[in-house]
Amino acid sequence: MDKPTSPESHMAATRTLVVGHSFVTRAKTFTEDHSMLNLNLSPRHHVVDFVGRGGAQIQDVLTLFAARPADPDLVIVDIGTNDLSGTISPISLANDLWDIAKTLLTTGVKRVILLGPVYRAAEGRHAAPDQFNERVRIFNRALQMTIKGSSLPVHFWYHRGLSAQVTAYITDGVHLNSAGVQKYLRSLRRAVMRFTREWRNEARVNACYGGH
């Protein structure tokens, strides 16, 4: 006698797209060089793609998204560091990113995860501009407050430990070194697992109750 199957068992692998600045391009290169396909997650359940560009800013997110190899279920956006090096208000920048997140949801994306920019080191070839880290704090706080006040499937994710140990992981002042990239990838993996689980649980409930 056949065993009953759950709605989830018929779901295709969750496709995640990571878009953003140089952190994303370095992460993509590292995964290719070290055979870390899909962040070492099972290809039966996960497909993870990267589309990044060094120097990318918030205004570039939709262009990067347009270069996706396939339509994703989840989109992880790592952006804002280059914008925060300028003079535009961090709150205004957070609002711009929020608008982009809402636009992504109109394309059929199930979840958007916004990564909080990490601090930059005060020393190194690309040392942080004055007040940069304070601007990061304001930006991240504004994003968190906006997301908290919304019912949309947009989430904030912060890389635990990267900012706290910035001199260990960002030795030139702005770019992740090898140890930093590995820590970054572990954080991405945790985010993919968490938000895939949330989305699949919601899909299973909707399937059981006819979407009501």
Side-chain angles (χ1 to χ4, degrees):
M1 186 174 180
D2 293 337
K3 293 182 178 179
T5 57
S6 67
E8 185 177 6
S9 66
H10 297 293
M11 296 179 71
T14 299
R15 191 153 205 138
T16 300
L17 175 67
V18 186
V19 300
H21 49 53
S22 62
F23 279 24
V24 176
T25 58
R26 288 175 180 239
K28 181 178 189 292
T29 299
F30 191 96
T31 59
E32 292 171 346
D33 291 347
H34 294 82
S35 300
M36 289 180 62
L37 182 67
N38 300 322
L39 300 174
N40 284 340
L41 294 166
S42 168
R44 289 180 55 205
H45 304 297
H46 296 277
V47 177
V48 181
D49 300 308
F50 296 85
V51 178
R53 191 178 77 211
Q57 297 184 331
I58 291 170
Q59 66 183 11
D60 301 315
V61 170
L62 295 180
T63 300
L64 295 173
F65 179 75
R68 62 195 183 279
D71 290 337
D73 302 300
L74 310 181
V75 175
I76 298 178
V77 182
D78 194 353
I79 208 77
T81 298
N82 295 307
D83 303 84
L84 289 164
S85 297
T87 59
I88 298 174
S89 159
I91 294 176
S92 177
L93 292 172
N95 290 337
D96 290 344
L97 183 52
W98 173 249
D99 288 341
I100 287 172
K102 290 188 293 183
T103 298
L104 291 172
L105 290 174
T106 67
T107 69
V109 170
K110 308 301 189 300
R111 290 278 193 283
V112 176
I113 299 94
L114 304 178
L115 304 184
V118 301
Y119 296 163
R120 285 173 55 183
E123 300 177 352
R125 179 183 175 189
H126 304 286
D130 289 343
Q131 300 299 311
F132 176 82
N133 290 340
E134 176 60 24
R135 286 169 58 79
V136 168
R137 280 190 286 271
I138 295 170
F139 178 87
N140 287 342
R141 192 158 53 241
L143 268 184
Q144 288 173 287
M145 293 301 293
T146 300
I147 290 169
K148 185 177 180 179
S150 171
S151 61
L152 293 176
V154 180
H155 309 273
F156 181 86
W157 184 263
Y158 195 70
H159 301 294
R160 289 178 295 177
L162 279 179
S163 285
Q165 303 177 64
V166 64
T167 55
Y169 297 123
I170 305 180
T171 48
D172 71 350
V174 65
H175 300 111
L176 293 170
N177 58 22
S178 179
V181 171
Q182 292 176 69
K183 189 171 184 68
Y184 178 82
L185 289 170
R186 289 193 295 271
S187 181
L188 287 181
R189 189 177 190 273
R190 288 194 298 272
V192 170
M193 292 173 66
R194 172 180 168 181
F195 294 110
T196 295
R197 184 169 59 249
E198 287 188 7
W199 168 54
R200 284 185 174 272
N201 286 343
E202 181 182 282
R204 185 168 62 247
V205 169
N206 287 340
C208 289
Y209 292 95
H212 298 290

